[in-house]
Amino acid sequence: MIYLDNAATVKPSKNTVALAERILTEDFFNPSALYYPAIELKGEIENTRRDIADILKCKASEIYFTSCATESNNWVFSCGIKNKRGNVVISEGEHPSVYEAALNLKSKGVDVRVIPLTVNGTIDETKLCEAVDDNTALVSVIHVSNETGIVNQIEKLAAKVKNKNKNTFFHSDGVQAFCKVPLNLSGGNIDFYSISAHKIGGIKGAGALYLKSGVNISPLLYGGGQENRMRSGTENVLSVLSFATAIKDFRKPQDFKKVFDYAFDVLSMIPDSQINGLRTANSGYIISLGLKGIKAEVLQHLLCDKGIMIGLGSACSSKNNRNRTLESMRVNREFVEGNVRLSFSYENTFEEVKNAIGTISDTVGYLRSKIHG
């Protein structure tokens, strides 16, 4: 099997699997208990918090563990706006966990302003700045698009938002960026940042939210007082600790650029195809490929039969025939219907990617020969 749907989830590393065996069979304790093995486990959780903070260039005390990035995003939208009269600004390219959370606020009477994308895939910076006013409570802009891999310069955008309204909260969904795109949260303009363990090779069931010191929002869950009383509930120790293991494994030197450049160049040469988004603005881990005259689902199933796994876009909205991101980029409908997503991880070798790209090209040719006789 050649797995090229790493934007949906990444295969846990061998070290992560070994961690799972240890936690499930030996160190299964509740970290809130007061005997030594449990206290040691609590220490490992705090070490993981520091590992994440080191990547994001922030304080460990600003990292709060959740069950997933969807929970982190919903926490911001349910507790992060000051009042219902304040407007909320998001981009058309947000992940469903942000987009739907914003629509939920809209259904309750909140003024939600959705900013379109440019043809290059980034948020329209001019329209974003125009939408922010004295009453803007929250702005949320995805860091790296889960659909196209395009990077929004969120540090720059956050500074511009704060320049217009210093009281506006700025949030970013950083799920596809964490460990892949450098970020320095110590600058102070970003108030919230969401990440997920399983997108970098950790185990599903743990996310985290960066919550800037001094930003006052309500606790997400009440109870035993875990996560500094902001998100009560017994910790998912295995998934949380897998964050640290995944970070260490992900930092291994890998030649992603060689893999990405090869895939981009060869896929670009397929007749009647287009890669969505500006190459120079891509994170180097995701390629959104539109194929004219091809049904994406048919191609995906044929490739699966050949042992190659690719995506169709966001796994969280795979049952939706629309694609907000591509439509906002003004991608032709024919290319949207034939759009597939290839996404890479450090486990993908150059040779297997080369073989997969060749098979994709051949399969597209086969489908078109059947269509046109």
Side-chain angles (χ1 to χ4, degrees):
M1 180 183 74
I2 300 177
Y3 180 72
L4 298 178
D5 195 21
N6 291 282
T9 194
V10 174
K11 178 183 176 181
S13 68
K14 291 180 180 179
N15 290 328
T16 304
V17 174
L19 169 72
E21 183 176 6
R22 173 172 74 85
I23 298 300
L24 294 175
T25 61
E26 299 174 21
D27 296 330
F28 52 84
F29 312 102
N30 186 324
S32 294
L34 297 180
Y35 34 79
Y36 289 122
I39 293 172
E40 290 177 353
L41 209 55
K42 181 67 173 179
E44 288 189 58
I45 291 175
E46 296 310 310
N47 287 339
T48 300
R49 205 185 305 275
R50 284 189 283 272
D51 288 342
I52 293 172
D54 286 344
I55 296 288
L56 297 178
K57 304 294 188 297
C58 66
K59 302 173 186 175
S61 60
E62 296 174 312
I63 301 298
Y64 294 84
F65 291 114
T66 62
S67 68
C68 58
T70 290
E71 183 182 300
S72 299
N73 290 340
N74 275 259
W75 187 3
V76 172
F77 277 79
S78 62
C79 305
I81 63 171
K82 301 170 188 176
N83 56 66
K84 290 186 177 180
R85 292 171 298 183
N87 62 71
V88 172
V89 181
I90 65 171
S91 84
E92 194 71 67
E94 296 303 310
H95 185 272
S97 60
V98 166
Y99 195 83
E100 294 298 324
L103 291 186
N104 179 58
L105 290 179
K106 185 175 182 179
S107 72
K108 297 177 180 179
V110 176
D111 177 11
V112 175
R113 304 171 182 181
V114 184
I115 308 304
L117 306 179
T118 68
V119 294
N120 292 328
T122 56
I123 189 172
D124 189 316
E125 187 176 316
T126 300
K127 291 183 178 179
L128 170 66
C129 292
E130 290 173 350
V132 176
D133 58 28
D134 292 340
N135 204 32
T136 301
L138 174 67
V139 171
S140 185
V141 179
I142 196 167
H143 194 177
V144 173
S145 170
N146 57 300
E147 296 280 356
T148 63
I150 296 302
V151 181
N152 284 305
Q153 302 301 320
I154 60 168
E155 292 179 75
K156 173 185 174 185
L157 295 174
K160 289 196 170 187
V161 166
K162 295 286 188 177
N163 188 52
K164 286 204 70 176
N165 184 345
K166 65 180 181 180
N167 296 317
T168 298
F169 287 149
F170 190 96
H171 165 259
S172 183
D173 178 337
V175 166
Q176 299 294 348
F178 183 60
C179 285
K180 303 171 187 175
V181 177
L183 178 65
N184 188 342
L185 290 175
S186 65
N189 289 318
I190 296 172
D191 302 287
F192 310 103
Y193 192 78
S194 307
I195 60 175
S196 175
H198 78 98
K199 301 294 188 177
I200 60 167
I203 293 175
K204 300 173 189 67
L209 177 68
Y210 160 78
L211 173 57
K212 187 175 73 176
S213 297
V215 172
N216 294 316
I217 66 172
S218 301
L220 177 65
L221 297 173
Y222 296 90
Q226 290 87 352
E227 296 304 299
N228 197 26
R229 307 188 70 83
M230 293 297 284
R231 200 274 185 189
S232 292
T234 302
E235 297 91 339
N236 183 342
V237 177
L238 170 55
S239 294
V240 167
L241 296 189
S242 77
F243 249 128
T245 303
I247 287 171
K248 291 180 176 67
D249 288 342
F250 204 92
R251 281 174 159 173
K252 292 178 180 177
Q254 302 294 333
D255 194 0
F256 282 104
K257 190 174 188 306
K258 180 180 178 182
V259 171
F260 178 80
D261 286 345
Y262 174 82
F264 197 104
D265 290 339
V266 177
L267 291 172
S268 298
M269 292 188 289
I270 296 177
D272 290 322
S273 72
Q274 68 175 41
I275 294 180
N276 303 305
L278 189 66
R279 181 174 188 164
T280 55
N282 197 293
S283 67
Y285 291 81
I286 298 174
I287 292 178
S288 172
L289 175 67
L291 297 160
K292 187 176 181 180
I294 296 291
K295 293 296 183 182
E297 295 88 348
V298 175
L299 176 61
Q300 184 188 50
H301 291 316
L302 283 176
L303 290 173
C304 184
D305 290 340
K306 299 177 181 181
I308 298 172
M309 311 297 171
I310 63 170
L312 299 180
S314 172
C316 293
S317 59
S318 59
K319 295 181 180 179
N320 190 339
N321 292 327
R322 287 194 58 204
N323 188 306
R324 281 184 287 103
T325 298
L326 299 185
E327 290 173 7
S328 187
M329 291 169 62
R330 274 99 60 204
V331 174
N332 187 285
R333 184 65 190 171
E334 289 181 298
F335 289 105
V336 174
E337 291 176 350
N339 188 76
V340 295
R341 181 184 69 178
L342 286 74
S343 45
F344 313 104
S345 85
Y346 59 84
E347 287 206 348
N348 293 129
T349 66
F350 179 80
E351 285 304 315
E352 71 175 9
V353 171
K354 181 178 179 181
N355 291 337
I357 299 302
T359 302
I360 291 170
S361 182
D362 291 343
T363 306
V364 169
Y366 167 78
L367 282 173
R368 284 180 172 155
S369 70
K370 290 295 183 182
I371 294 170
H372 301 295

